[in-house]
Amino acid sequence: MSKQSQNIRVRFAPSPTGPLHIGGVRTALYNFLYARKNGGSFILRIEDTDQKRFVEGAEKYIRDTLKWCGIEPDEGPGFGGAHGPYKQSDRKDIYRSYIEKLLDSGHAYYAFDTAEELDEMRSQMKSQGIKSPTYNSITRSYMKNSLTLPKDDVNRLIQNNFPYTVRIKMPRNLEIKFEDQIRGWVSVDSNNVDDKVIAKSDGMPTYHLANVVDDYLMSISHVIRGEEWLPSAPLHVYLYECLGWKQSIPQFAHLPLILKPDGNGKLSKRDGDKLGFPVFPLDWHTNQGEKFSGFRERGFLPEPFLNMLAFLGWNPGTDKEVFSLTELVSDFKLSRVGKSGAKFDFKKTIWFNQQHIRKKTDLELFDFLIKQDDNLLNTHSKDYILSVIRLIKDRLNFESDMIKEGECFFSENFKIDSAAVQKKWNKEITPHILLIQKEIVNLSSFNEDDIRTGFTNYIEENKLSFGKVMPMLRIAITGKMAGPSLFETIELIGKEKFESRIIRIVNEIENGKNNS
Ligand code: GLU
């Protein structure tokens, strides 16, 4: 059967060892996109064989993240599916038979070395100048294992419950080859692959064994995962061969690293908050009372968050940058994922959020605003609120910015930025501000265009500078130096407020409250 016609089944296989880093979310996203694009299935598998690193709440965090992002799996713990259980700790018995199979066929062996003996082997080799000593096809011949001990000794040790691990027996001089969808052909000499432990002394399989067995039993067609797993892939390919599953080796695609903003190294979990931005999708509270902030709680919407993540490694090959999830699904191709690390850019992440907010309807933003301030509808009409939203929409990085940006439209108690007054208010021009106010108030129609014309005429007739008068007028009307179109703002708040705000600031300045 050709790969094209085969059922596409991909999996996201996180270990619940802490909160999911954004790199993990990107892996989940690419798997999701690949599955959706190709009419396949997206599977969540919890890889919790390492009980020592298990962290309470991490699995729920993974599920909550996928839910918030809108990339929920078709199969997985709590999602149903015919290939379960989907949590490795619930599959212990399944792995046992494959470990036996590898032992019986001579592809694996028992190793009885104690921690001290292993340490001794490493330090001896180091003293011989070997930088990273491993248990491999050479060193195994002088260690304590079923390849070196007499059969009776091995049986006795096992019967006496002497702790042992099971190791894969890597052959010598074998070329292990596979084609990575992103990196092309990868070829490794088996002499450089160590005899990895496949079953630990507690009987649990290690990641390598469980991962391969599960990918096979769950009929995974494509393994799309982070670059950090690339060195393990030759071992996985070899395990497939040992287990007689050569025909079912999945296609591999190892995603590029996500780098720190300066490109200096991998963006790590520890970078969270330290560099001034989150690296986790949702807030995470540790048992020690520490908190790591999440994109959700910082006001990011799921779609721009995913849009940003999609671009950390992939691009559509066009200038288009703003993508909805549906658009990502239709444009995503593994062939457009690059090899080199992608720098995380927090400013760009904010930009994505801003772009997606612009695509929201006024009513969607209205609903958000009303939820934040349920008194608003008692004091202002829905039409007025919608007009304000239309005016400030392009200025929003986050939905919550509506509160700050909307302040001067919804209340007369907005704060006047005294630093702005200090910088821009020119007392000599104050009389002109009062005259401009009169001019505008006396206009026969109080609309944006006429207000602009009235203002412009006054400035020109009196040979004043726009650059000096405009900021003063803006501070008087909005309290700030920056904001949406000033003339539209004046039309929207209406004649009365326009008049009273100018009087207010002029009085305050006269009385020394807002000293210029
Ligand atoms: N459990 C591994 C992890 O935590 C999964 C690696 C893989 O996808 O094969 O990232």
Side-chain angles (χ1 to χ4, degrees):
M1 190 167 48
S2 81
K3 290 281 177 194
Q4 264 72 26
S5 60
Q6 146 199 340
N7 262 349
I8 302 290
R9 288 176 60 80
V10 295
R11 84 308 191 265
F12 174 49
S15 299
T17 53
L20 200 58
H21 172 257
I22 54 170
V25 189
R26 187 199 55 178
T27 301
L29 172 66
Y30 283 18
N31 275 284
F32 173 89
L33 296 177
Y34 193 75
R36 289 290 172 275
K37 164 98 189 212
N38 296 292
S41 302
F42 172 49
I43 293 131
L44 171 67
R45 185 172 70 226
I46 300 294
E47 300 207 324
D48 57 349
T49 52
D50 194 349
Q51 294 291 317
K52 279 195 241 99
R53 293 181 62 219
F54 178 83
V55 172
E56 193 66 47
E59 186 187 329
K60 182 176 180 304
Y61 184 93
I62 292 165
R63 280 203 298 264
D64 289 349
T65 297
L66 299 183
K67 190 163 180 206
W68 175 66
C69 290
I71 53 171
E72 283 185 278
D74 304 306
E75 298 172 28
F79 297 97
H83 295 72
Y86 293 93
K87 213 197 277 196
Q88 290 185 330
S89 55
D90 295 335
R91 298 172 64 81
K92 276 187 227 162
D93 296 342
I94 300 177
Y95 307 122
R96 196 63 237 163
S97 63
Y98 295 101
I99 295 166
E100 299 291 343
K101 196 172 161 187
L102 289 167
L103 283 164
D104 290 348
S105 61
H107 287 112
Y109 61 94
Y110 297 100
F112 301 99
D113 318 272
T114 61
E116 292 75 34
E117 285 163 343
L118 288 170
D119 281 347
E120 198 187 308
M121 178 262 275
R122 288 188 199 107
S123 55
Q124 245 185 37
M125 289 179 71
K126 275 197 178 152
S127 67
Q128 287 162 18
I130 297 166
K131 276 204 198 91
S132 354
T134 55
Y135 205 118
N136 58 24
S137 56
I138 303 225
T139 51
R140 70 182 172 226
S141 61
Y142 48 85
M143 299 302 288
K144 211 164 89 194
N145 54 51
S146 56
L147 302 174
T148 56
L149 296 173
K151 209 168 177 354
D152 287 351
D153 288 3
V154 171
N155 291 340
R156 196 173 26 82
L157 285 169
I158 294 174
Q159 267 155 25
N160 292 343
N161 291 326
F162 194 90
Y164 65 80
T165 58
V166 177
R167 286 182 180 270
I168 189 79
K169 185 181 167 198
M170 283 312 288
R172 284 203 59 76
N173 306 323
L174 178 76
E175 186 193 17
I176 306 174
K177 261 171 74 172
F178 64 94
E179 191 178 5
D180 189 276
Q181 301 289 295
I182 296 169
R183 286 145 213 280
W185 280 99
V186 177
S187 162
V188 174
D189 178 346
S190 66
N191 296 353
N192 298 324
V193 183
D194 55 334
D195 286 3
K196 281 265 178 317
V197 171
I198 55 169
K200 292 176 277 188
S201 52
D202 60 4
M204 279 290 253
T206 57
Y207 153 73
H208 300 293
L209 192 273
N211 186 270
V212 165
V213 167
D214 288 347
D215 282 346
Y216 173 75
L217 295 180
M218 293 179 182
S219 302
I220 298 302
S221 61
H222 293 70
V223 167
I224 304 170
R225 62 184 173 192
E227 181 180 300
E228 63 274 28
W229 301 106
L230 186 60
S232 304
L235 169 65
H236 297 176
V237 167
Y238 183 63
L239 278 170
Y240 266 88
E241 289 175 8
C242 296
L243 287 160
W245 301 334
K246 203 171 172 174
Q247 298 312 315
S248 309
I249 298 178
Q251 305 266 310
F252 287 99
H254 288 92
L255 307 176
L257 292 177
I258 299 182
L259 306 175
K260 289 185 211 295
D262 62 6
N264 245 330
K266 191 174 153 183
L267 183 70
S268 81
K269 290 192 174 187
R270 285 174 301 280
D271 290 328
D273 295 324
K274 226 172 51 191
L275 298 174
F277 51 77
V279 297
F280 298 114
L282 320 177
D283 271 1
W284 171 258
H285 299 267
T286 68
N287 290 338
Q288 290 75 40
E290 257 181 309
K291 187 199 130 189
F292 295 97
S293 67
F295 282 88
R296 179 180 66 181
E297 289 77 6
R298 287 280 286 264
F300 288 89
L301 297 168
E303 234 176 17
F305 174 63
L306 294 180
N307 193 165
M308 173 279 289
L309 284 182
F311 271 77
L312 289 180
W314 168 87
N315 71 74
T318 64
D319 289 344
K320 182 170 165 171
E321 286 188 286
V322 181
F323 282 78
S324 66
L325 185 54
T326 318
E327 289 169 329
L328 283 176
V329 167
S330 73
D331 284 20
F332 186 77
K333 282 192 193 91
L334 275 179
S335 58
R336 293 219 56 89
V337 176
K339 286 199 258 286
S340 40
K343 284 188 221 162
F344 174 73
D345 182 344
F346 189 53
K347 275 208 190 112
K348 188 80 188 196
T349 311
I350 296 175
W351 180 84
F352 276 116
N353 210 54
Q354 181 198 61
Q355 299 303 310
H356 280 259
I357 287 179
R358 286 184 187 181
K359 289 169 85 181
K360 281 199 170 276
T361 64
D362 301 337
L363 268 179
E364 282 172 321
L365 294 175
F366 172 85
D367 288 342
F368 177 91
L369 188 57
I370 293 305
K371 273 198 210 107
Q372 304 299 304
D373 182 356
D374 52 11
N375 190 39
L376 213 52
L377 271 175
N378 298 328
T379 50
H380 298 87
S381 73
K382 184 172 178 179
D383 276 352
Y384 177 79
I385 300 171
L386 283 168
S387 305
V388 173
I389 288 174
R390 268 191 291 281
L391 191 55
I392 62 175
K393 196 171 180 174
D394 280 359
R395 300 183 46 78
L396 308 172
N397 288 336
F398 300 96
E399 286 171 304
S400 58
D401 287 350
M402 277 191 280
I403 311 287
K404 197 170 71 224
E405 290 287 338
E407 203 190 358
C408 70
F409 293 95
F410 299 127
S411 154
E412 290 312 288
N413 294 324
F414 60 88
K415 220 177 118 300
I416 292 184
D417 175 358
S418 48
V421 173
Q422 200 83 21
K423 204 163 156 202
K424 296 284 177 190
W425 199 275
N426 181 338
K427 271 189 175 169
E428 279 163 30
I429 300 179
T430 306
H432 287 296
I433 294 286
L434 288 166
L435 289 168
I436 290 169
Q437 177 230 58
K438 276 220 175 71
E439 188 99 352
I440 291 176
V441 165
N442 289 334
L443 288 169
S444 54
S445 59
F446 198 77
N447 65 48
E448 182 201 348
D449 286 341
D450 290 353
I451 297 167
R452 181 182 291 107
T453 314
F455 176 80
T456 313
N457 289 344
Y458 184 94
I459 297 283
E460 282 170 359
E461 276 160 23
N462 292 278
K463 304 213 167 15
L464 294 169
S465 134
F466 273 94
K468 280 194 177 151
V469 186
M470 272 292 258
M472 290 171 69
L473 197 60
R474 185 179 284 285
I475 293 168
I477 304 305
T478 68
K480 294 188 275 248
M481 248 154 35
S485 153
L486 182 59
F487 301 116
E488 272 185 77
T489 303
I490 295 174
E491 176 185 338
L492 202 54
I493 60 168
K495 200 183 273 193
E496 249 171 59
K497 288 183 181 151
F498 169 68
E499 202 171 4
S500 63
R501 288 181 188 185
I502 292 196
I503 292 170
R504 168 187 161 192
I505 194 159
V506 168
N507 283 343
E508 281 184 10
I509 285 170
E510 299 259 294
N511 298 332
K513 196 175 157 207
N514 264 309
N515 266 335
S516 64

